């Protein structure tokens, strides 16, 4: 039975009704009160049409390939001549802050067309971390699929199934797009049949809470604790904090840095294989690149959305707090999100869409264990949300023994997609990994079951 969404519908409906009270009473304008503007709304983006055409895959079935611009977003569409009647929407990852938006082909493109699937991908109409634009533009393209085909001389039936897959920010999009809240509030509504979020920001705003908590922990350990937010003199403090924690950043730590490393380990998913390699790699430097910012996520929000009131700093894998841990937590500066920062909107999706786990279709996720940028804890947060709602029956999660962000092999990605598709089409739920049990996640062989055999021999230790 689909997860009931009555409460969310009432919440969204009452938000709109509040703006229409005068109209309901026989007076006033029927147009809802306009929403406030934010920095992201003033930014201008464009498509470079010369970058839209794409070539056929070598040694693959013949396809029709179309490209163009839809409502300010570039797109690509590919349909096999022997189309199986099903469509896969692909959502790309973070596109940076430039003024030109661009399309990315799905990494599993060849696999899709060899199995008869059509696919479509949008550039999105905006860059920055704009998941709202990503969902709306991907949905708009899915709704335009038949029309685009007709305009290019091919008549197609409506897709029998429509799936969504995505990587990184696109994983956030793929999870939020199948959430009941998106069906209730999006301007372009698509009821997807299944989803494969890969290395996704499944904790939505929790990712940024982690960034804030990491900076606060680093400063506190280095003896330069935060006392306000954003930290006004972070540019001056940053080298001093790094020097206190690292002899070589980010690969070699001082004794204080060892403690910081353990705190980050617990913030990102606990004791697990591949963490040490990930912490020493470039993604840790990327995390530090987020330090010093305010909580608006580069103008996606108008108010501070960071919140560390629920963060528990730990120095080891034991959830029981020692006296030292209690003291550290009591001293830590706490960030409190403005309740208005990411509220429901009257004009569509939230500015920072939620992955609430209000799902009623198969969702198969994959996540690398060593990723400290979009960490494995995103999977744990999403699983807890699903369990709290009773929707975890629709969720399968797989741990991959990669070191970096989205560090997947092609066969790991295709296996996840095929597992979701077989589950949705045949009703047989695939296997996954336990993500919440600390002892299971800490086991030296954790993540071996679904990691590719093509990885190095040392990726999984001998039994």
């Amino acid at each position: 039975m689909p997860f009931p969404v009555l409460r969310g519908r009432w919440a969204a409906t009452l938000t709109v009704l509040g703006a229409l009270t005068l109209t309901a009473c026989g007076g006033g304008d029927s147009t809802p009160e306009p929403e406030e503007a934010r920095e992201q709304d003033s930014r201008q983006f464009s498509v470079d049409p010369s970058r839209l055409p794409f070539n056929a895959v070598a040694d693959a079935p013949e396809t029709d390939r179309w490209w163009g611009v839809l409502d300010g977003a570039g797109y690509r569409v590919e349909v096999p001549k022997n189309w199986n009647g099903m469509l896969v929407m692909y959502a790309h990852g973070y596109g940076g802050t430039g003024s030109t938006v661009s399309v990315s082909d799905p990494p599993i493109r060849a696999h899709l067309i060899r199995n008869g699937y059509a696919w479509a991908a949008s550039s999105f109409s905006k860059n920055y971390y704009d998941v709202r634009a990503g969902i709306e533009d991907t949905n708009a393209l899915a709704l335009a699929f038949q029309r685009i085909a007709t305009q290019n001389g091919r008549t197609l039936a409506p897709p029998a199934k429509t799936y969504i897959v995505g990587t990184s920010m696109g994983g956030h999009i793929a999870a939020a797009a199948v959430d009941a809240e998106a069906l209730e509030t999006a301007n372009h509504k698509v009821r997807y049949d299944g989803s494969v979020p890969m290395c996704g920001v499944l904790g939505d705003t929790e990712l940024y809470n982690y960034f804030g908590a990491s900076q606060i922990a680093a400063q506190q350990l280095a003896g330069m604790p935060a006392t306000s937010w954003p930290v006004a003199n972070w540019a001056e403090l940053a080298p001093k904090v790094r020097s206190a924690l690292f002899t070589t950043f980010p690969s070699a730590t001082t004794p204080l840095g060892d403690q910081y490393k353990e705190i980050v380990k617990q913030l990102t998913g606990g004791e697990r294989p591949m963490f040490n390699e990930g912490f020493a790699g470039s993604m840790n430097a990327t995390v530090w690149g987020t330090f010093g910012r305010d909580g608006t996520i580069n103008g996606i929000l108008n108010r501070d959305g960071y919140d560390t009131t629920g963060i528990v700093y730990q120095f080891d894998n034991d959830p029981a707090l020692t006296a030292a841990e209690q003291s550290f937590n009591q001293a830590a500066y706490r960030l409190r999100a403005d309740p208005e920062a990411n509220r429901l909107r009257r004009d569509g999706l939230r500015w920072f869409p939620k992955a609430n786990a209000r799902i009623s279709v198969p969702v198969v996720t994959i996540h690398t264990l060593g990723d400290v940028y979009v960490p494995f804890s995103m999977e744990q947060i999403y699983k807890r949300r699903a369990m709290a709602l009773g929707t975890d029956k629709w969720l399968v999660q797989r741990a991959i023994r990669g070191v970096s962000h989205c560090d997947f092999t092609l066969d790991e990605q295709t296996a996840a997609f095929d597992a979701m598709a077989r589950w949705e089409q045949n009703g047989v739920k695939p296997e996954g990994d336990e993500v919440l049990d600390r002892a299971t996640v800490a086991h030296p062989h954790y993540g071996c079951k679904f990691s590719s055999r093509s990885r190095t021999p040392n990726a999984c230790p001998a039994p």
Side-chain angles (χ1 to χ4, degrees):
M1 178 184 296
F3 181 74
V5 296
L6 182 61
R7 179 179 299 175
R9 284 180 179 148
W10 273 113
T13 301
L14 290 173
T15 301
V16 175
L17 286 177
L20 298 178
T21 301
L22 288 176
T23 302
C25 294
D29 191 340
S30 62
T31 304
E33 178 187 350
E35 280 284 12
E36 61 186 304
R38 54 185 172 148
E39 187 177 356
Q40 176 71 344
D41 297 325
S42 67
R43 294 168 177 150
Q44 300 298 311
F45 303 94
S46 62
V47 179
D48 181 353
S50 68
R51 296 170 61 182
L52 293 177
F54 61 114
N55 297 322
V57 174
D59 301 320
E62 186 179 358
T63 63
D64 287 317
R65 300 181 309 283
W66 308 309
W67 54 86
V69 179
L70 178 67
D71 297 331
Y75 67 80
R76 290 176 177 171
V77 177
E78 186 167 27
V79 185
K81 294 293 187 182
N82 63 336
W83 183 40
N84 66 9
M86 291 181 273
L87 173 64
V88 178
M89 302 303 298
Y90 173 66
H92 67 70
Y94 180 66
T97 60
S99 61
T100 302
V101 294
S102 57
V103 185
S104 300
D105 297 343
I108 61 172
R109 175 191 173 193
H111 179 76
L112 293 175
I113 60 176
R114 288 191 175 107
N115 286 277
Y117 290 96
W119 65 268
S122 171
S123 69
F124 317 149
S125 55
K126 297 177 182 290
N127 279 329
Y128 288 77
Y129 198 89
D130 198 333
V131 172
R132 171 175 160 136
I135 294 173
E136 292 287 10
D137 294 330
T138 299
N139 286 5
L141 180 58
L143 295 171
F145 173 72
Q146 283 180 278
R147 184 174 77 247
I148 291 169
T150 300
Q151 290 170 347
N152 286 276
R154 184 171 175 184
T155 301
L156 297 175
K161 305 283 185 180
T162 303
Y163 304 124
I164 184 167
V165 304
T167 51
S168 191
M169 185 181 95
H172 184 169
I173 291 166
V178 296
D179 199 276
E181 187 174 296
L183 281 171
E184 295 161 4
T185 62
N187 291 307
H188 301 99
K189 301 182 191 301
V190 174
R191 190 175 293 275
Y192 291 99
D193 296 285
S195 176
V196 183
M198 298 182 282
C199 51
V201 184
L202 301 181
D204 46 72
T205 53
E206 293 283 358
L207 176 67
Y208 292 87
N209 299 344
Y210 153 61
F211 291 158
S214 295
Q215 179 183 339
I216 288 167
Q219 288 190 231
Q220 186 163 322
L221 285 170
M224 293 167 262
T227 56
S228 63
W229 197 265
V231 177
N233 60 337
W234 173 246
E236 175 189 341
L237 291 178
K240 300 175 184 177
V241 174
R242 277 198 302 268
S243 295
L245 304 181
F246 298 90
T247 55
T248 303
F249 178 76
S251 58
T253 50
T254 65
L256 278 176
D258 291 341
Q259 196 169 16
Y260 173 70
K261 179 179 177 180
E262 190 61 39
I263 288 174
V264 172
K265 182 191 295 182
Q266 298 307 319
L267 289 175
T268 59
E271 187 71 43
R272 62 194 186 277
M274 319 310 293
F275 169 78
N276 289 338
E277 296 89 336
F279 183 86
S282 62
M283 288 297 99
N284 197 6
T286 304
V287 171
W288 277 65
T290 69
F291 293 176
R293 299 178 184 176
D294 65 16
T296 67
I297 312 175
N298 284 332
I300 296 299
L301 305 176
N302 269 349
R303 298 172 176 83
D304 200 317
Y306 283 27
D307 197 306
T308 62
T309 56
I311 295 289
V312 178
Y313 297 98
Q314 293 181 274
F315 301 160
D316 55 38
N317 212 46
D318 184 348
L321 295 183
T322 64
E325 290 170 332
Q326 291 178 20
S327 177
F328 191 92
N329 277 277
Q330 290 168 0
Y333 183 77
R334 296 292 173 173
L335 308 180
R336 289 172 173 79
D338 187 314
E340 292 290 297
N342 194 39
R343 61 169 171 79
L344 286 166
R345 299 279 148 185
R346 294 180 293 271
D347 59 355
L349 292 162
R350 295 177 195 260
W351 282 342
F352 203 88
K354 299 289 289 181
N356 300 298
R358 293 176 62 201
I359 51 176
S360 57
V361 296
V363 176
V364 174
T365 73
I366 56 174
H367 216 113
T368 50
L369 290 169
D371 189 355
V372 295
Y373 181 44
V374 180
F376 191 68
S377 56
M378 295 289 102
E379 299 289 336
Q380 296 167 332
I381 290 165
Y382 193 63
K383 179 62 177 289
R384 291 189 187 100
R385 291 176 179 177
M387 290 176 64
L389 295 172
T391 61
D392 51 312
K393 64 183 178 182
W394 295 110
L395 177 62
V396 167
Q397 297 166 287
R398 292 179 173 182
I400 303 297
R401 292 174 71 92
V403 170
S404 192
H405 181 48
C406 303
D407 180 18
F408 305 119
T409 64
L410 186 59
D411 52 332
E412 288 161 353
Q413 296 174 75
T414 57
F417 175 80
D418 288 348
M420 182 280 296
R422 285 193 297 266
W423 181 12
E424 194 281 324
Q425 294 165 26
N426 301 325
V428 180
K429 188 174 182 177
E431 291 184 292
D433 282 311
E434 162 61 45
V435 302
L436 295 180
D437 182 75
R438 287 175 178 264
T440 299
V441 174
H443 194 280
H445 289 84
Y446 185 67
C448 289
K449 188 169 187 177
F450 299 104
S451 295
S452 172
R453 294 181 180 179
S454 65
R455 290 188 179 274
T456 62
N458 294 327
C460 276

